[in-house]
Amino acid sequence: MNDMYQHNITLIRHRWPEVAERIEQADISEMSFEVVEDKAASLIIDGIQLSSTIDPIEEAFLFRQLVEGNHYIIWGLALGHLPELLTQDESAQTIGIVLFNFEVTKLVLHLVPFHWLDDPRVQLIAIYESAPNLNQMLGNIAFQNSVIITSERILAQKDKPWLSRRMDDRLYTIHCRLSHHERDSEYQEIENQNIKLLRKLRPIEEYLVKPLKTAIIVGAGPSLEHHIEELKWVYQQQERPEIIAAATACTCLKQHGIKPDAVFAIDIDIPESYINFDLAKDTPLLFASRMRPEIFTKWKGPKYFFHLSDPTYDRFAEAIPSFRLYVYGSVIHPTIYSALARGADKILLLGCDFGFPNEIIHSGLSNDTDPDRKMDMWIENGLGDEIRTESSYRMFLTGVESLIQQNPEIDFVNWSKIGAKIIGTRYLDYGNIEHEIRP
């Protein structure tokens, strides 16, 4: 322990004793690193350079530009250039620094003086897999004011997949938003087509006034078909929860004689072949306001439109004010959100796999109907096995986990263990299923 470390850890211990304890538990006795230097010095750990050796301050400015506003959550410390920059900015109001690579942090504390640790705007937060507030903290990654230090994210990939995949999801989300902006002219054309049609239809507020206690949210993942006999049994009960399905799940449901109580659709690129237009004349379709008119005009049952919370819907929401539903890329998000808005205190998730168990994409549909799926990543399921997935599906999972984190009083139940593990849920108690499905 050198004087530099003693100075830094004393400041941390005084303000954040639990964080200091977590850092001091880290073992760096066998940690190898290399000092590299050009115009500035940096460290290389496991082949990853922590910061720029050309202009680390300019690098910090680039990170800072990723956030609009005066509140910051920094994921990773690296050599501390970003918090040092922010503490010199009088307009910065809060500077949260989330630590997770504790061996790296401990090493850096031996080498770099962090006088800014006594700045009252700075808060250090330790996150680890058994942390009691893990779900809450992981939900913060999705916030617009989060900055992820690249080198720390890459170092976390080796032994912290529960964290690194959510960081990757955050970056993928930024990519998706950029691609949405590139389609703005297409969106505006659809809005111009839909505006007169939507004014003749009912907004989702009229649907949301109907209260419910328990809802079964059905996605089109492979676990739907895997558990279809159980769902059929539930469906046949005289008193049961509402079954609210994603449009893509309806083919499988119809094949097994199950008529959902409502159907959700948001994807403007959804093929008509995925939609069961003759499902039932009394089954409502709840659809995002930018759905192509050839989809919702053919629906035979009641129709309700809604705007999504995505910023690309701001213009349309101003033209036709209506309730906006949370989304993070998947139809599952607004479907869950609608159940919460109706007062549900228990939500069961079936077919919400966020991966491809047995390399199947959708229940009831051939993989040939969705040939662009890459299946180039892996994720842990409820059995402790790795199943194939991809970036977009992992992002969808992060969005659901964020919703769960924001509603800790709600009982979220994962029906199946063959799909991805969902933090914040418990698994269905099959031995007590009659109690589980009380409406």
Side-chain angles (χ1 to χ4, degrees), residues 135-178:
N135 197 30
Q136 179 181 355
M137 286 305 305
L138 292 177
N140 290 339
I141 295 178
F143 292 170
Q144 294 295 315
N145 57 347
S146 286
V147 178
I148 300 171
I149 302 300
T150 305
S151 57
E152 294 256 15
R153 174 181 62 83
I154 297 173
L155 288 169
Q157 290 175 344
K158 181 179 179 181
D159 59 354
K160 299 176 182 67
W162 52 271
L163 175 60
S164 64
R165 70 106 167 147
R166 288 166 177 82
M167 293 180 172
D168 292 341
D169 294 343
R170 163 70 172 161
L171 299 178
Y172 184 76
T173 302
I174 295 171
H175 166 75
C176 289
R177 284 181 177 154
L178 290 174

Side-chain angles (χ1 to χ4, degrees), residues 97-312:
I97 304 168
V98 184
L99 304 177
F100 45 89
N101 291 320
F102 298 105
E103 292 81 5
V104 175
T105 299
K106 188 170 186 176
L107 174 63
V108 171
L109 291 176
H110 279 82
L111 303 173
V112 182
F114 292 146
H115 303 293
W116 46 260
L117 284 168
D118 59 2
D119 190 307
R121 297 169 297 173
V122 171
Q123 290 294 323
L124 293 190
I125 304 139
I127 187 171
Y128 45 95
E129 194 166 12
S130 60
N133 64 339
L134 177 65
N135 197 30
Q136 179 181 355
M137 286 305 305
L138 292 177
N140 290 339
I141 295 178
F143 292 170
Q144 294 295 315
N145 57 347
S146 286
V147 178
I148 300 171
I149 302 300
T150 305
S151 57
E152 294 256 15
R153 174 181 62 83
I154 297 173
L155 288 169
Q157 290 175 344
K158 181 179 179 181
D159 59 354
K160 299 176 182 67
W162 52 271
L163 175 60
S164 64
R165 70 106 167 147
R166 288 166 177 82
M167 293 180 172
D168 292 341
D169 294 343
R170 163 70 172 161
L171 299 178
Y172 184 76
T173 302
I174 295 171
H175 166 75
C176 289
R177 284 181 177 154
L178 290 174
S179 67
H180 278 303
H181 285 300
E182 292 172 359
R183 297 183 67 179
D184 187 64
S185 59
E186 178 187 359
Y187 294 158
Q188 187 154 18
E189 182 180 348
I190 296 173
E191 292 167 14
N192 292 337
Q193 288 179 314
N194 284 359
I195 191 164
K196 291 182 180 180
L197 296 171
L198 296 184
R199 283 176 174 155
K200 298 177 182 179
L201 298 178
R202 289 176 282 186
I204 199 169
E205 290 92 321
E206 296 185 25
Y207 168 80
L208 296 177
V209 296
K210 182 183 177 183
L212 84 165
K213 294 284 290 179
T214 304
I216 301 175
I217 307 299
V218 180
S223 68
L224 169 59
E225 197 145 29
H226 186 79
H227 295 279
I228 197 66
E229 293 301 322
E230 299 154 20
L231 184 63
K232 282 174 67 174
W233 179 85
V234 173
Y235 179 68
Q236 292 164 0
Q237 302 309 300
Q238 187 172 0
E239 294 187 3
R240 60 168 178 81
E242 284 192 28
I243 298 174
I244 309 173
T248 46
C250 291
T251 297
C252 180
L253 294 176
K254 185 181 178 183
Q255 290 168 353
H256 294 276
I258 298 173
K259 184 189 76 174
D261 298 289
V263 174
F264 267 78
I266 68 168
D267 188 357
I268 68 171
D269 298 317
I270 190 170
E272 288 192 39
S273 60
Y274 281 19
I275 307 291
N276 280 274
F277 294 105
D278 58 346
L279 186 67
K281 291 184 178 180
D282 59 347
T283 301
L285 173 69
L286 304 111
F287 67 95
S289 55
R290 278 208 305 254
M291 180 68 61
R292 296 186 185 278
E294 53 265 31
I295 298 291
F296 66 82
T297 55
K298 292 181 181 179
W299 189 261
K300 297 179 181 180
K303 296 183 275 275
Y304 302 84
F305 74 89
F306 58 87
H307 302 301
L308 293 170
S309 61
D310 188 280
T312 63

Side-chain angles (χ1 to χ4, degrees), residues 389-405:
T389 188
E390 63 181 37
S391 296
S392 59
Y393 276 53
R394 296 199 323 180
M395 180 183 74
F396 302 159
L397 172 59
T398 296
V400 169
E401 290 175 340
S402 295
L403 257 181
I404 293 171
Q405 174 265 316

Side-chain angles (χ1 to χ4, degrees), residues 417-431:
K417 291 186 177 181
I418 71 169
K421 183 186 296 183
I422 305 174
I423 293 177
T425 65
R426 63 177 178 84
Y427 285 103
L428 184 70
D429 180 3
Y430 289 101

